[in-house]
Amino acid sequence: EDQVTQSPEALRLQEGESSSLNCSYTVSGLRGLFWYRQDPGKGPEFLFTLYSAGEEKEKERLKATLTKKESFLHITAPKPEDSATYLCAVQDNDMRFGAGTRLTVKP
Amino acid sequence: ETGVTQSPTHLIKTRGQQVTLRCSSQSGHNTVSWYQQALGQGPQFIFQYYREEENGRGNFPPRFSGLQFPNYSSELNVNALELDDSALYLCASSDRARGEQYFGPGTRLTVT
């Protein structure tokens, strides 16, 4: 069965403390892997699309990478405003989301 | 450029009732997808509409139904509401040629 698993479930960082979030997946035919950011009570906000293994995308303090089995979202020198839930989604025939990683960055 | 909008923002219904949620797509987008998000979970795919036709459906019963209109706006209808239908309902629009979806703010449905 197709699955998307994100780890850790929750992550607490000090401001400036870099880390990585993981998204592992099993799908029959990957058409794309997507990262979203979601603030409490709001809809997800699109961050990145990755299509093939080895691809990387960057935006400000965030960098997403993709292998054949997983994707990482690297956060460099995070700030308190980076606190949010980060969702990974995989598209084969449908879009399948992971449960998310809840990131808290303390000043 | 107008983003995705949803109405209403919040809704309280009684078990057994019916509800209609509405979504206006981002301009230039021809595909609408609906998701159900329970507290602490990722969004679960309900269905997708492309050019007014259902174009994929997740593991939801037939009492969840939808429509897409010629202007690409959409409705989600849920009949015979159950307590477990309480969730945030998200609408997302996209261009059929590209995978990334742009989400609205959601409708918070509470079933009592």
Side-chain angles (χ1 to χ4, degrees), chain B residues 19-37:
Chain B
V19 68
T20 297
L21 311 182
R22 295 178 174 83
C23 170
S24 292
S25 301
Q26 183 167 313
S27 61
H29 287 177
N30 53 24
T31 302
V32 174
S33 303
W34 285 92
Y35 294 85
Q36 179 193 68
Q37 187 175 27

Side-chain angles (χ1 to χ4, degrees), chain A residues 1-4 25-29 90 92-94 96:
Chain A
E1 182 180 319
D2 295 346
Q3 283 192 336
V4 181
Y25 62 91
T26 55
V27 292
S28 53
V90 171
D92 46 9
N93 294 319
D94 302 325
R96 191 179 303 271

Side-chain angles (χ1 to χ4, degrees), chain A residues 31 34 36 38 41-46 48-49 51 87 91 93-100, chain B residues 35 37 40-45 56-58 88 90 96 98-106:
Chain A
R31 291 172 57 190
F34 306 87
Y36 289 86
Q38 186 173 27
K42 297 188 176 181
E45 174 189 346
F46 171 73
F48 303 111
T49 307
Y51 291 106
L87 295 165
Q91 185 178 32
N93 294 319
D94 302 325
M95 190 77 79
R96 191 179 303 271
F97 278 81
Chain B
Y35 294 85
Q37 187 175 27
Q41 301 295 318
Q44 299 294 312
F45 175 69
R57 188 179 183 92
L88 181 68
L90 295 163
R96 187 73 164 94
R98 298 167 61 90
E100 63 261 26
Q101 299 181 344
Y102 294 86
F103 284 82

Side-chain angles (χ1 to χ4, degrees), chain B residues 17-81:
Chain B
Q17 286 187 316
Q18 178 267 342
V19 68
T20 297
L21 311 182
R22 295 178 174 83
C23 170
S24 292
S25 301
Q26 183 167 313
S27 61
H29 287 177
N30 53 24
T31 302
V32 174
S33 303
W34 285 92
Y35 294 85
Q36 179 193 68
Q37 187 175 27
L39 204 60
Q41 301 295 318
Q44 299 294 312
F45 175 69
I46 303 175
F47 44 58
Q48 182 183 82
Y49 277 82
Y50 170 63
R51 292 187 175 178
E52 302 176 55
E53 297 284 334
E54 189 177 289
N55 184 47
R57 188 179 183 92
N59 189 26
F60 281 81
R63 60 189 184 84
F64 286 78
S65 63
L67 286 172
Q68 186 184 29
F69 300 100
N71 65 355
Y72 303 127
S73 66
S74 178
E75 287 182 355
L76 165 66
N77 299 289
V78 187
N79 294 321
L81 284 167

